[in-house]
């Protein structure tokens, strides 16, 4: 994913990236702590 212009970042894109970030954090947490 290559941003064309930082100034063109829309709220929807920010939310999408934030959601993906949270999903990755959850996945990493699940892998690092399988007993959780």
């Amino acid at each position: 994913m290559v941003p064309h212009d930082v100034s063109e970042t829309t709220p929807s894109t920010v939310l999408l990236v934030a959601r993906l970030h949270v999903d990755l954090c959850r996945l990493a947490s699940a892998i690092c702590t399988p007993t959780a």
Side-chain angles (χ1 to χ4, degrees), residues 1 4 6-7 9 14 16 18 21-22 28-29 35:
M1 178 178 174
H4 297 285
V6 178
S7 64
T9 303
V14 174
L16 177 61
H21 179 72
V22 172
S29 178
T35 57

Side-chain angles (χ1 to χ4, degrees), residues 1-34:
M1 178 178 174
V2 179
H4 297 285
D5 190 344
V6 178
S7 64
E8 294 183 357
T9 303
T10 60
S12 59
T13 301
V14 174
L15 291 175
L16 177 61
V17 173
R19 179 174 293 181
L20 291 174
H21 179 72
V22 172
D23 288 341
L24 289 175
C25 287
R26 288 180 179 180
L27 180 62
S29 178
I31 295 173
C32 292
T33 57

